[in-house]
Amino acid sequence: MMPVQLQCPLVAVACVFMCCLFGTLSSPDPRVREALIELEASMQTGGQMVLTDAEQRLDALLFEMKQEEISRGDFPPAVHFFSAKRLIQRSPVFSLLQKMPKGGALHVHDFSMVDVEWLVKNVTYRPHCYMCSTDEPSFRFIFSSQWPKPLPRCSPWVLLENLRSKMVNATDLDNSIRGNLTLFTDQDPEVAFPSQDVVWDRFEQAFRAVWGLVTYAPVFRDYYYQGLTQFYTDNVMYLELRALLPEVYELDGSTHDRAWTLKTYQDITTQFVSKHPDFFGARIIITNQRRANRSAIAQAVEEAMKLKKDFPDFMAGFDLVGREDRGKPLWYFRDALSLPAEKGVTLPYFFHAGETDLEGTEVDQNLLDALLLNTSRIGHGFALVRHPVAKDLSRKKGVAVEVCPISNQVLKLVKDLRNHPAAALMLENHPVVISSDDPAMFGASGLSYDFYEAFVGFGGIKSHIGSLKQLAINSIRYSSLSPRQQKEALVLWQKRWNTFVTESEFLKTN
Amino acid sequence: MMPVQLQCPLVAVACVFMCCLFGTLSSPDPRVREALIELEASMQTGGQMVLTDAEQRLDALLFEMKQEEISRGDFPPAVHFFSAKRLIQRSPVFSLLQKMPKGGALHVHDFSMVDVEWLVKNVTYRPHCYMCSTDEPSFRFIFSSQWPKPLPRCSPWVLLENLRSKMVNATDLDNSIRGNLTLFTDQDPEVAFPSQDVVWDRFEQAFRAVWGLVTYAPVFRDYYYQGLTQFYTDNVMYLELRALLPEVYELDGSTHDRAWTLKTYQDITTQFVSKHPDFFGARIIITNQRRANRSAIAQAVEEAMKLKKDFPDFMAGFDLVGREDRGKPLWYFRDALSLPAEKGVTLPYFFHAGETDLEGTEVDQNLLDALLLNTSRIGHGFALVRHPVAKDLSRKKGVAVEVCPISNQVLKLVKDLRNHPAAALMLENHPVVISSDDPAMFGASGLSYDFYEAFVGFGGIKSHIGSLKQLAINSIRYSSLSPRQQKEALVLWQKRWNTFVTESEFLKTN
Ligand SMILES: [Zn+2]
Ligand SMILES: [Zn+2]
């Protein structure tokens, strides 16, 4: 499934070409210049895509839109997403990207799929929902048929139904809850999150707050269905979800095991697909916290091997999650992570690696180690351009980088997204896919905001309809789907793509 | 003079190596891992440098210092230089870098060599110095034997001698003058300079303020001598100065032509070298504003060819300056810039190119066009990683990139210097030199601050004494000096380097 990599030979040709010409010309030949500009343009992601007439017309429209966007004062990719969001929402490029069939979302986490509004207005309004407040400050939630046992370092539980019934208007309470379930804020993000430590701390607090809501069985099911709906509405047709597979609980406090949770994901996926036949499906990448100890990870790998055997089609593989700079490096877990290969069992890896701006630390070896451990893709790979050997291996082995622009900006790896290292990667057609990591936490949704940042921010005026097409195709090519499934998915995508191109053209002539 | 480029074959070897091993091993082989880590380390700038025992001991000391630096809270390269300066001054790595013989400074502009304190306390205290204030607000200065004619859009002239004699204490006035001669400020730089437009506007205002002071013949001479002194004191042994060659004026209002100005630079250089035999010298790159029109540039090129003939050893070549995004692209001037080649006259180019974060604009073609116009080096090349063909040509032709980290940060191309594209370039030993552009404008001086940002910021824990050695050697190898002169300069540098290594060792054992 590895796409043909044409860049190297092209550069070689260019060099021979140039070496012959340089020094012999008295002034630069416009034809040579034109050829080199075209060569460079052809090297980018989608640069060699052959476009239909209709696609070319849409591209001309896109080019105009983008020119206008770039000439305006506030260039959204240069601005923190929390401030840029409103600008992006007004962008005609963005509304086109929303309509565009984007293929698959390959890097999304289980409990940040659904916008927070739904959690506040739907979930916390359900009966039996208790809340307490910690001194971080943050909230914790639980659904329970009887008054729950007190939580250490949390205020006494209040039943939200009771609390709200005493209020004239619950707006302030709802705002306060909302603010604790996401990082997104109207405040100046530089003031609210002055450092990586602060933003990661708040990020983890928000996940803890969400936890009690979404691990309640009825909510768990609805949340996932709602998540699929939101991605589907954003014209995403396939999902690979990184899931912690928590013990899901019932109102009486009883819990289900992880196989139940995986089975539930599978059932709901099937149910969703049956209602939305143009949605291709979803698969689960089981994740574990990288701050765990060796024996916990060994156990998790053993369990993942078993689940992979029991859910061979639905489970895609295994990954470690949590703040890379604070967790243990992959190499620390090498014995556990080598178990499948040693036992001859297939357990594909999809490691987060290189989500760091520290250079030369032990964690900074994760990129190379992920590749040595035969990872199928690289989550983030923000540091890849600083690792020429790992970069070369990733390219040659066709190990795609899952680029999540908004995540990297909000978690303070980069400020101006034009400086995101994936800009350089895409300009040389490194295998990449665009994803959204934790859209709800960042105030985004689906894939469109991240597509916008990549298309306008990384690509500037150079990226075009071919880039978008390639990114969508990449998301299927580099998915964990079998070759046969990929073919099917591509047929489905192509059909939707053709409709999109035709309808966007119609948009223009009106 | 092009250094042997070993990276490509090494990567190829690595790939063959890996391709044989991948898939056949059940778990990653620590020896393979070690080999790949070493391979990657060897690919960086200075990665193949053979170190003496003394250098290795110094490297161990440096490594310790850097570890400590990185583990502290505020990592200076991640912070705006105006706030980071104080942190850097306290850094033991920085004080070592100050002592290090850094070779040549190849990208420095004529009127930003000397710290502003000297302009305020020495120059504006000289007799006959008049000042007026514009409504930007900014100041203008002139030295004159009689009361100068009023300047449009400026207040009536005041004689600073008179003004200061009426004051009990001139501190406020001096502070106000100082603030107008530099961008450096104690204010929050994000607030003072919210956008590239604002910072460039202030930058240009400051140059206009400095102009009247430094183009007065006696100051002009002293300024340049003082500039050489400051670079020399910072252990820089050679300078290539980009100079506008203004019409320098005398107290009676008479002016000198550009040949006089160039001659003066040459005389003072000779004088300085005779007093400092371990200073190798300086050469001039004549610069013109890129916002000029075609005929002005054609005329400037003609004049530069003539000056190159008259000052064959002292004049290095020609360049265009000013904000790239607002100026005309190189290609616009292609006829003028092709004149030397057409006439068979040698006029080396040292073009600023790629000092932009806009992608796909006409200006963004400057990198490729600079190479097509046979540039000897690239000034800034910030956008080079977004131009794979230009990048490849720059590498293959040995056209070094003059990287000026603090300049790019202050002029708002990048916030966290770990994300500076030159980090990736240095990790694959792309030909680079480190320079300081306009140190006085940025509150820096000499080269050490920029070396610090590059060494600690770009390199993280990975860069080492070999990187520093390579950067110093690069600054001679990629200079405009003849091969014979380079050899001499390298001998001189090596002698100073050996002393530095020995003395730093002494530092340790104490
Ligand atoms: Zn993630
Ligand atoms: Zn410059």
Side-chain angles (χ1 to χ4, degrees), chain B residues 107-109 242 319 321-322 352 355 379-380 402 404 407 437-438:
Chain B
H107 187 130
V108 178
H109 291 273
R242 278 168 165 89
D319 184 16
V321 299
H352 278 73
E355 190 185 5
H380 293 294
E402 302 160 352
C404 306
S407 169
D437 207 7
D438 297 286

Side-chain angles (χ1 to χ4, degrees), chain A residues 210-262:
Chain A
V210 166
W211 191 261
L213 297 173
V214 294
T215 55
Y216 171 48
V219 175
F220 180 80
R221 281 185 285 256
D222 292 356
Y223 185 92
Y224 180 56
Y225 195 93
Q226 182 68 17
L228 291 177
T229 307
Q230 293 194 355
F231 276 85
Y232 174 75
T233 310
D234 195 42
N235 292 301
V236 173
M237 59 176 263
Y238 173 68
L239 195 67
E240 294 194 358
L241 190 71
R242 278 166 165 89
L244 287 160
L245 296 191
E247 285 194 338
V248 171
Y249 69 95
E250 298 285 353
L251 210 54
D252 61 6
S254 63
T255 59
H256 301 282
D257 67 5
R258 305 182 79 192
W260 180 94
T261 309
L262 188 53

Side-chain angles (χ1 to χ4, degrees), chain A residues 302-326:
Chain A
E302 297 273 10
E303 194 190 6
M305 287 193 282
K306 189 180 173 320
L307 290 169
K308 178 70 187 161
K309 221 179 76 189
D310 297 345
F311 298 84
D313 289 329
F314 186 60
M315 187 187 137
F318 183 79
D319 184 15
L320 295 175
V321 299
R323 187 175 175 191
E324 225 175 309
D325 284 326
R326 288 286 179 278

Side-chain angles (χ1 to χ4, degrees), chain A residues 107 109 242 352 380 437-438:
Chain A
H107 186 129
H109 291 273
R242 278 166 165 89
H352 278 73
H380 293 294
D437 207 7
D438 297 287

